[in-house]
Amino acid sequence: MNSDAESHQMISELIDHVETVVVGKRDVVKLMTTAMLAGGHLLIEDVPGVGKTVLVHALAKSIGADFKRIQFTPDLLPSDITGLSIYNQKEAIFEFRPGPLMGNIVLADEINRTSPKTQSALLEGMAEGHVTVDGVTRSLPELFFVMATQNPIEYEGTYALPEAQLDRFLMKLSIGYPDRKDELLLMDRAPGNHPLRDLQPILSIDDVLFLRRKVSSVFVSDDMKNYLLDLVQATREHPLITLGVSPRGTLGLLRAVQAYAFIEQRDFVIPDDVKKVAPYVLAHRLILNQEAVFAHTDAFSLVQEMVRQIKVPVFVKESLK
Amino acid sequence: MNRSMMIQLMNAVMYGLAGLLLWLCSRPLVELTILNSKILLIVFIAIMLLFFYFKMPVWICFMTCGLLILYAMHFYFFTNDPLFGPVWLAQFTGSIVQSVGSVWRGEVVEASDLFSAFLFFILFGMILFAIRYWLKKGRLILFSLLAMFSAALIDTFTFYDGSRPIVLIAVVALLMLVFRKWQRFMVEGTEADEPKGHLPWLSVTGLAMAAILFAALLFPKPDSQWSGPSDYLSGFGFTLFQNGSFFSSGQRIGYDEDDSRLGGSLAMDQTPLFTASVSSDPGYWRVAHKDRYTGRGWSNDTPLYIQVPASGETISLLSLYEKNTKTNQQTAILRFDRSSPAILPFTGEPTHVAVAGRNLKVELSTGQLKTENEQKAASEHLVFAEPVYRKSQLRKTDVPPDSKAIRNRYLQLPSKLPNRVRALGQRLTSGHDNRYDQVRAVVDYLRSSRFRYATDQIPRPSRGQDYVDQFLFSTRVGYCDNFSTAMVVLLRSAGIPARWVKGFTAGEYQGQVQETVNGEKKSLNKYQITNADAHSWGEVYFPGSGWVPFEPTPSFNDPSQFASNASTNRGSGTDDVQQQSEDSASSQPDASSSRTQQQEKQSEQQSAGQSDVQQGKGQSTDEPQNTSHITINWTRAVQGLLVVFVAGMAAAWLTRRRWLRALYKRKIMNDPLGSSSDFQHTYQLLLRLLQLNGVRRKNSETLREFAMRVTEGRSRNALLLLTRQYERMLYLQDHTFTDQDAVRAKRQFRHLIVDSNRVSEHQESRRKAD
């Protein structure tokens, strides 16, 4: 099976496909795809109105999978997302009615608007791949991909996500404002004719699972593993950082880098992949100390800075020759 | 005349000018070194440049150069052997091998002249090939600058007066540059395409040059503000061109048959020649005397040989002493070393000479003993009469006049001898009534502080200048040849028959040895005679006494034994002879300790702490000092090497960009790319090459980031493709590298190199424009 070329073909088609909906955000689309193929979950944080939801929607609709959307509100209860058992009077039994979390691709919109209690219900599902409702543990489908969006926490009516939960998102992206010319295109678009409406799925669940298996076989050399560890170590030793990257973060980075390399049509990882992906994978896992606040810096730029400083393995070791 | 012929002609002129320049630069060598043959150097240059001009294949040029070097070696060192004979070749190779060996062992000082000359000619050949390259490439500025620099260097550090030649060199060099420029115009047609444009151009440049030269030569110039770096350097202990035999014009101290051209510096050479075991305290070892002074040196009549009887009796053959001279019977055994020439020195008047297995003959005109076939002897047994001159006898005024034979032969002087020499001789002797005091007056004059003894930095007499006149009136510095020749010439000017004798001083005392002489065991004093002991002195004829040697050279002792009346009256015997009279003591200021100048120096060095010991033990204390002849100052040598090394490293570092770039490019282009490791190596070289352009790859920079930063356009694509290949090997550890990959990679590398050439040329031209 000519799987490599085929899978690369699939991925580029998928990315092109999503890009028809959101103009000029190819990088973001790539990173979203990276998260999906790496088997992690995605958090998109940005100000309202830049197209978070549309983007996530577009990716979700491109996959022919069960897509669920949860709009988080302050009064949302855990059972509202996991589902609940309702008494069936006809049959005289409690019948489980699955909640929106039971889908393949879940869009958790404005996740920080709900209470921590509801957020942790999501957390269990994301971490363990199953949810417990009424004392019964129910497995989530094999393809389970949560894309959450949130507003920056400084805005009113938000509950900051707990650290443990943040750690369970593989990547945190922000979208940013479109370029001037892209925004111009956006204005020219006829109202009521949103491309999202007509978007057809182009990948099946099996395709995605197949691609995930391919990603996990992307080769990472010892040099590259050491390079990753150097980076992780640097976050743990950085003077402005209170809490560095956890081993889960390390594993996540490895997956993400593999996925990104695969998206870049390679079956091995190079330092450029790490440099590209690392800030998105690591930044939200760090807790900065007070000095960082005074230094007017944030985690994302700190990771970028570290990536700029860590020595890249460039020479073939003698023993390999 | 058509254009190509014109170009050919100009090419020829260029080669001619280059040859002229090289000749001008190498001319001082003729005067400064032993390579005193102009013709040979000219022929060498001419032949090689002709070959180069006619674009002979390089191997032919090399072969010719080698043959010329061999011919030069024959010319200088083996003239007596036939040119096409294996004899000298074998000797030559043997000597070279030996010298290479001694250089290898660190005995640089003892490298022979042959070896020095050989190395010089090899260097000369290399310079010629360098000039060929420069002429081809048009790098004439470098050539001209080097030429002027070498001339300035020779002028500064030697006594060679380069003030005129350097102007000539500058003129020729400028001419060459002008011609080169003109040639460019002709060939490339860059500036003046029309032939008529050339003439004004040439005439303007030529006139400008002529005007500047004229002004430079004509107008008064201040003296140099700086005395030159050699004094300055010698303050630091750097002595240049001293004691180096090759650079000490003319000769090396030692025995040499040919004295027809004297002059130039001497180098001390401690090659042992022979040992002498003598029953007494010997005088000088005499080899030959010379009679005819030519104004430049000493020459002889055609040799006249007389066979020494088989018994070895030589009585009356040499007739050095006459009836009034008292003699003591002494014996001596001489053993010759490997490097000794075929000589048979003797002291006193030999009465019996024997060389095992050989018949002997005497050369009458020089008083020289030789073996019959003039081959070298292994040892020589000698019985000789040691003279003791009675001063009272020598001072007598009522002596018979010199015989006509003596006067004809030993009053000869060249007709061109300057009158001031004659006048000086007559003036010095005029106040004395007897011959002994007259001779002493001349000797004392020469031994006075007017003259300085030195062996190095002795100029050769110029053409037409008299050797003695130069010494007495202009240089006043010299060594034994200068002093002895001057003495003989001055005495002859005053009408006193005298002759010039050459041989060796007594040598270095080595202790007592037991030898069997004529069947009986005797205790003899053993002396080592080396090349440095070679010496010359004068002999004066005293009617009734014979030939009495005198020592005109300062710091050497008088070889003759002069006895006062009292001591001779006590009768014969060795005690008598070894005792010094007060007269002779006065004429031998430092008679007690040193024998040769060499030893004198050493005893001076030692005298501070050891003078008592030395007086007690005599000469034997010198022994341990003399085991090593010349000590190299290793710390200084190491310092010198270090300086050279540091300077070299600095130069390499300053020019590293240039040569590293060339080196990397060549390596990259020539890499066969046969395997993945080849490819990796070449890729890494490429990275280094790119970094040489001034952009360094940061450690944290990935290869792609670097590639994007340092390249653009086509070379960026090429570099990215190569980088992708390299990444596969590095990060995937996939080392498959097919021939197809190699072909592709080679193409990319070539693109990159070609583009980087363009880029660096561009950068350079921009830098020049700035």
Side-chain angles (χ1 to χ4, degrees):
Chain A
M1 178 178 180
N2 187 14
S3 59
D4 271 6
E6 207 170 279
S7 36
H8 292 148
Q9 177 70 21
M10 281 193 235
I11 289 170
S12 55
E13 270 176 17
L14 173 67
I15 291 171
D16 290 345
H17 198 66
V18 176
E19 231 198 340
T20 55
V21 179
V22 188
V23 187
K25 291 291 173 192
R26 193 177 176 89
D27 261 13
V28 178
V29 176
K30 262 186 177 174
L31 287 167
M32 288 168 73
T33 318
T34 304
M36 182 177 75
L37 295 186
H41 305 284
L42 183 68
L43 177 64
I44 302 179
E45 180 186 284
D46 218 322
V47 291
V50 288
K52 299 189 288 285
T53 313
V54 174
L55 200 54
V56 171
H57 219 134
L59 179 61
K61 281 190 92 173
S62 303
I63 314 265
D66 185 14
F67 173 61
K68 294 280 163 55
R69 176 179 174 163
I70 314 168
Q71 185 67 45
F72 281 73
T73 53
D75 57 354
L76 199 72
L77 293 172
S79 55
D80 291 338
I81 58 167
T82 55
L84 74 169
S85 299
I86 291 173
Y87 185 66
N88 186 335
Q89 289 180 320
K90 205 188 268 177
E91 307 267 335
I93 48 163
F94 278 97
E95 211 171 49
F96 180 70
R97 306 225 2 227
L101 201 56
M102 293 297 174
N104 291 118
I105 298 178
V106 178
L107 167 54
D109 224 357
E110 309 206 61
I111 187 177
N112 58 343
R113 284 199 180 279
T114 192
S115 63
K117 190 179 164 190
T118 313
Q119 286 173 352
S120 36
L122 182 66
L123 174 139
E124 193 199 356
M126 282 164 59
E128 272 123 62
H130 51 74
V131 286
T132 310
V133 183
D134 299 339
V136 182
T137 303
R138 293 169 198 279
S139 290
L140 296 172
E142 202 183 353
L143 175 64
F144 176 62
F145 178 41
V146 175
M147 287 186 275
T149 70
Q150 71 170 7
N151 293 323
I153 50 167
E154 292 88 0
Y155 285 76
E156 274 192 38
T158 57
Y159 300 87
L161 283 166
E163 276 99 42
Q165 199 163 357
L166 270 182
D167 203 25
R168 279 155 212 215
F169 284 104
L170 178 68
M171 294 168 108
K172 184 174 132 182
L173 307 176
S174 64
I175 295 173
Y177 295 110
D179 291 345
R180 195 184 175 87
K181 68 170 177 11
D182 293 337
E183 208 163 352
L184 203 67
L185 271 175
L186 203 67
M187 293 202 297
D188 289 346
R189 221 174 241 169
N193 186 20
H194 200 277
L196 192 58
R197 194 173 296 167
D198 309 329
L199 205 65
Q200 296 302 311
I202 56 161
L203 289 186
S204 67
I205 294 179
D206 283 344
D207 286 338
V208 175
L209 292 176
F210 168 72
L211 289 177
R212 279 189 177 178
R213 277 199 300 279
K214 296 292 290 181
V215 162
S216 63
S217 68
V218 165
F219 180 79
V220 185
S221 70
D222 288 350
D223 276 348
M224 285 307 303
K225 284 176 187 158
N226 278 312
Y227 179 61
L228 289 183
L229 287 179
D230 286 346
L231 184 57
V232 167
Q233 194 62 35
T235 67
R236 294 172 188 165
E237 288 166 356
H238 200 280
L240 297 181
I241 295 174
T242 317
L243 183 66
V245 174
S246 63
R248 176 163 40 204
T250 312
L251 286 178
L253 181 59
L254 181 68
R255 291 273 167 277
V257 165
Q258 283 179 308
Y260 191 79
F262 195 68
I263 287 173
E264 291 286 324
Q265 313 200 343
R266 250 181 289 109
D267 54 352
F268 59 97
V269 172
I270 66 171
D272 300 81
D273 301 333
V274 181
K275 286 194 152 189
K276 178 72 189 173
V277 168
Y280 301 104
V281 178
L282 301 183
H284 64 282
R285 297 166 204 262
L286 306 176
I287 298 180
L288 307 189
N289 59 23
Q290 208 56 36
E291 287 172 49
V293 180
F294 293 137
H296 292 292
T297 182
D298 57 33
F300 191 79
S301 42
L302 277 182
V303 177
Q304 279 185 321
E305 182 66 30
M306 281 183 263
V307 161
R308 270 202 292 273
Q309 281 169 0
I310 287 166
K311 194 179 168 203
V312 174
V314 162
F315 293 105
V316 179
K317 282 186 188 143
E318 287 299 314
S319 59
L320 298 175
K321 280 187 181 178
Chain B
M1 186 166 22
N2 68 33
R3 198 182 170 86
S4 69
M5 256 178 77
M6 186 87 171
I7 289 170
Q8 273 296 315
L9 188 73
M10 285 200 320
N11 224 357
V13 172
M14 283 297 289
Y15 274 83
L17 284 174
L20 185 61
L21 194 56
L22 183 62
W23 161 239
L24 285 173
C25 289
S26 45
R27 200 167 57 172
L29 297 172
V30 174
E31 287 186 42
L32 288 172
T33 69
I34 54 173
L35 311 169
N36 49 3
S37 165
K38 286 182 188 179
I39 301 296
L40 194 75
L41 276 182
I42 291 176
V43 166
F44 200 114
I45 295 172
I47 290 184
M48 289 315 290
L49 283 179
L50 269 179
F51 271 60
F52 293 154
Y53 175 71
F54 288 110
K55 295 199 171 69
M56 294 288 192
V58 180
W59 64 271
I60 289 186
C61 294
F62 266 117
M63 282 218 339
T64 319
C65 189
L67 288 176
L68 280 170
I69 291 174
L70 278 182
Y71 176 75
M73 292 297 103
H74 178 267
F75 179 86
Y76 282 118
F77 296 98
F78 301 99
T79 336
N80 296 334
D81 295 315
L83 179 58
F84 297 104
V87 188
W88 74 273
L89 265 175
Q91 236 176 321
F92 168 70
T93 36
S95 168
I96 292 297
V97 166
Q98 203 184 343
S99 296
V100 169
S102 71
V103 168
W104 181 250
R105 286 191 299 274
E107 300 157 9
V108 186
V109 229
E110 292 180 12
S112 63
D113 283 349
L114 178 70
F115 190 52
S116 308
F118 181 61
L119 287 185
F120 165 77
F121 272 102
I122 286 182
L123 186 69
F124 199 68
M126 277 155 69
I127 290 174
L128 275 162
F129 276 92
I131 287 172
R132 168 174 180 263
Y133 177 76
W134 289 333
L135 282 172
K136 254 169 105 177
K137 292 270 165 180
R139 300 223 172 126
L140 297 172
I141 295 187
L142 182 67
F143 180 30
S144 323
L145 284 181
L146 279 177
M148 279 187 261
F149 181 68
S150 72
L153 210 65
I154 286 175
D155 179 57
T156 310
F157 287 110
T158 70
F159 50 81
Y160 181 78
D161 178 19
S163 55
R164 259 163 210 291
I166 204 168
V167 176
L168 214 58
I169 285 173
V171 169
V172 173
L174 284 173
L175 264 178
M176 217 163 69
L177 291 175
V178 167
F179 251 87
R180 170 70 195 163
K181 194 85 188 163
W182 191 31
Q183 205 178 9
R184 272 224 173 117
F185 290 172
M186 290 289 288
V187 176
E188 295 168 11
T190 39
E191 281 173 43
D193 229 355
E194 291 297 306
K196 64 178 178 187
H198 295 138
L199 205 61
W201 187 83
L202 262 194
S203 56
V204 165
T205 47
L207 273 177
M209 249 171 65
I212 292 169
L213 268 174
F214 184 70
L217 289 175
L218 198 69
F219 290 132
K221 291 167 281 291
D223 272 345
S224 60
Q225 303 293 308
W226 189 38
S227 58
S230 60
D231 299 340
Y232 174 74
L233 286 177
S234 59
F236 281 102
F238 285 100
T239 47
L240 291 139
F241 300 117
Q242 286 177 8
N243 284 353
S245 71
F246 187 71
F247 269 104
S248 53
S249 156
Q251 38 199 307
R252 164 178 283 228
I253 194 164
Y255 184 78
D256 184 13
E257 287 283 339
D258 183 17
D259 304 300
S260 56
R261 274 195 72 174
L262 298 174
S265 299
L266 274 186
M268 285 298 166
D269 167 22
Q270 303 280 358
T271 316
L273 295 184
F274 60 92
T275 61
S277 306
V278 201
S279 60
S280 71
D281 216 12
Y284 287 171
W285 292 103
R286 170 199 186 91
V287 178
H289 63 252
K290 303 267 169 128
D291 302 340
R292 179 173 301 153
Y293 177 64
T294 59
R296 303 165 83 185
W298 292 92
S299 70
N300 265 90
D301 300 335
T302 44
L304 180 63
Y305 292 106
I306 287 189
Q307 208 70 28
V308 175
S311 66
E313 297 291 324
T314 56
I315 287 287
S316 79
L317 282 179
L318 294 164
S319 60
L320 294 170
Y321 315 123
E322 290 174 14
K323 57 186 186 308
N324 290 327
T325 305
K326 202 187 129 44
T327 57
N328 301 304
Q329 185 83 0
Q330 303 288 0
T331 56
I333 301 170
L334 276 63
R335 291 197 173 78
F336 297 97
D337 281 318
R338 202 159 43 93
S339 40
S340 155
I343 48 169
L344 292 174
F346 55 89
T347 183
E349 174 155 0
T351 52
H352 187 102
V353 187
V355 172
R358 310 223 186 220
N359 288 325
L360 302 179
K361 61 184 182 185
V362 174
E363 211 278 278
L364 284 183
S365 66
T366 60
Q368 197 170 3
L369 280 174
K370 283 181 175 176
T371 52
E372 192 167 31
N373 48 6
E374 304 200 6
Q375 294 279 309
K376 212 180 95 179
S379 65
E380 176 188 7
H381 286 253
L382 198 62
V383 179
F384 63 94
E386 189 185 51
V388 180
Y389 303 106
R390 247 181 287 161
K391 230 169 245 186
S392 56
Q393 178 68 35
L394 299 179
R395 277 214 170 92
K396 271 183 186 161
T397 48
D398 56 335
V399 288
D402 304 313
S403 67
K404 192 161 185 207
I406 291 281
R407 283 175 32 183
N408 280 348
R409 200 176 171 87
Y410 298 112
L411 287 179
Q412 171 271 339
L413 281 174
S415 55
K416 280 188 276 180
L417 184 75
N419 273 332
R420 55 182 179 176
V421 177
R422 283 181 210 273
L424 178 69
Q426 281 151 15
R427 189 163 54 79
L428 286 174
T429 53
S430 60
H432 304 277
D433 61 344
N434 66 77
R435 184 163 286 183
Y436 178 79
D437 288 336
Q438 287 174 332
V439 173
R440 278 249 71 93
V442 170
V443 168
D444 290 345
Y445 176 78
L446 290 170
R447 292 178 73 107
S448 69
S449 56
R450 287 180 193 83
F451 302 99
R452 187 165 62 82
Y453 179 88
T455 52
D456 58 286
Q457 309 236 5
I458 309 296
R460 260 168 193 278
S462 52
R463 183 188 297 272
Q465 190 176 23
D466 185 85
Y467 179 63
V468 169
D469 184 74
Q470 180 216 19
F471 169 68
L472 286 177
F473 295 103
S474 66
T475 61
R476 292 171 200 263
V477 56
Y479 46 94
C480 55
D481 285 351
N482 297 87
F483 287 95
S484 54
T485 308
M487 169 189 146
V488 173
V489 169
L490 286 173
L491 288 173
R492 286 185 180 182
S493 307
I496 300 168
R499 66 187 184 190
W500 186 75
V501 190
K502 57 190 291 186
F504 299 89
T505 56
E508 180 187 313
Y509 183 65
Q510 298 214 310
Q512 296 223 317
V513 286
Q514 296 295 322
E515 293 273 3
T516 318
V517 182
N518 298 336
E520 51 178 305
K521 269 208 179 256
K522 267 190 172 176
S523 173
L524 302 178
N525 301 321
K526 189 179 173 196
Y527 293 84
Q528 171 72 59
I529 288 93
T530 68
N531 245 337
D533 295 318
H535 192 44
S536 63
W537 60 95
E539 274 184 343
V540 181
Y541 180 74
F542 285 85
S545 298
W547 291 98
V548 181
F550 286 87
E551 176 55 87
T553 311
S555 81
F556 283 81
N557 302 319
D558 215 313
S560 348
Q561 313 267 3
F562 295 104
S564 65
N565 284 341
S567 62
T568 40
N569 286 347
R570 265 195 276 150
S572 61
T574 48
D575 295 0
D576 189 0
V577 172
Q578 275 158 7
Q579 190 183 356
Q580 306 281 345
S581 73
E582 61 260 41
D583 285 65
S584 57
S586 68
S587 70
Q588 300 172 14
D590 45 6
S592 57
S593 62
S594 73
R595 283 194 171 258
T596 64
Q597 216 226 356
Q598 204 71 21
Q599 284 178 336
E600 187 183 48
K601 277 188 196 150
Q602 278 171 358
S603 59
E604 269 169 16
Q605 284 159 8
Q606 293 177 342
S607 63
Q610 297 186 350
S611 58
D612 293 355
V613 185
Q614 201 160 12
Q615 272 169 11
K617 285 191 186 171
Q619 292 110 339
S620 58
T621 49
D622 287 348
E623 259 179 342
Q625 293 286 321
N626 294 329
T627 46
S628 73
H629 302 309
I630 296 168
T631 52
I632 301 173
N633 191 338
W634 282 112
T635 41
R636 182 138 294 146
V638 168
Q639 278 169 4
L641 279 179
L642 215 64
V643 167
V644 169
F645 180 73
V646 168
M649 292 307 282
W653 174 250
L654 287 174
T655 58
R656 71 192 182 285
R657 238 176 222 168
R658 206 187 166 91
W659 58 262
L660 273 180
R661 202 177 282 159
L663 181 76
Y664 287 161
K665 274 178 194 166
R666 179 166 306 174
K667 273 188 164 178
I668 291 170
M669 294 298 260
N670 292 346
D671 198 298
L673 293 179
S675 68
S676 76
S677 65
D678 277 356
F679 172 79
Q680 287 159 23
H681 182 71
T682 312
Y683 182 81
Q684 286 164 14
L685 280 179
L686 180 69
L687 285 188
R688 278 185 227 164
L689 176 67
L690 291 170
Q691 299 198 29
L692 279 179
N693 289 339
V695 200
R696 294 203 68 79
R697 191 186 71 83
K698 281 181 248 135
N699 265 339
S700 62
E701 204 169 9
T702 64
L703 298 171
R704 287 170 182 225
E705 286 168 343
F706 180 66
M708 296 294 279
R709 197 153 63 92
V710 293
T711 51
E712 54 189 8
R714 183 175 75 156
S715 42
R716 176 180 286 174
N717 286 338
L719 184 56
L720 282 177
L721 282 170
L722 290 168
T723 305
R724 200 163 294 168
Q725 184 85 42
Y726 183 70
E727 281 174 347
R728 259 196 112 64
M729 294 168 182
L730 178 61
Y731 301 121
L732 185 56
Q733 288 156 22
D734 173 11
H735 292 283
T736 50
F737 190 69
T738 61
D739 291 349
Q740 218 174 349
D741 290 337
V743 170
R744 209 175 310 135
K746 240 183 154 58
R747 193 168 57 228
Q748 313 296 2
F749 277 127
R750 194 167 308 124
H751 282 329
L752 276 163
I753 295 287
V754 170
D755 286 359
S756 90
N757 279 344
R758 226 177 16 227
V759 168
S760 58
E761 265 169 32
H762 180 65
Q763 282 173 346
E764 236 149 70
S765 67
R766 210 166 41 192
R767 200 175 310 146
K768 269 180 193 163
D770 292 344

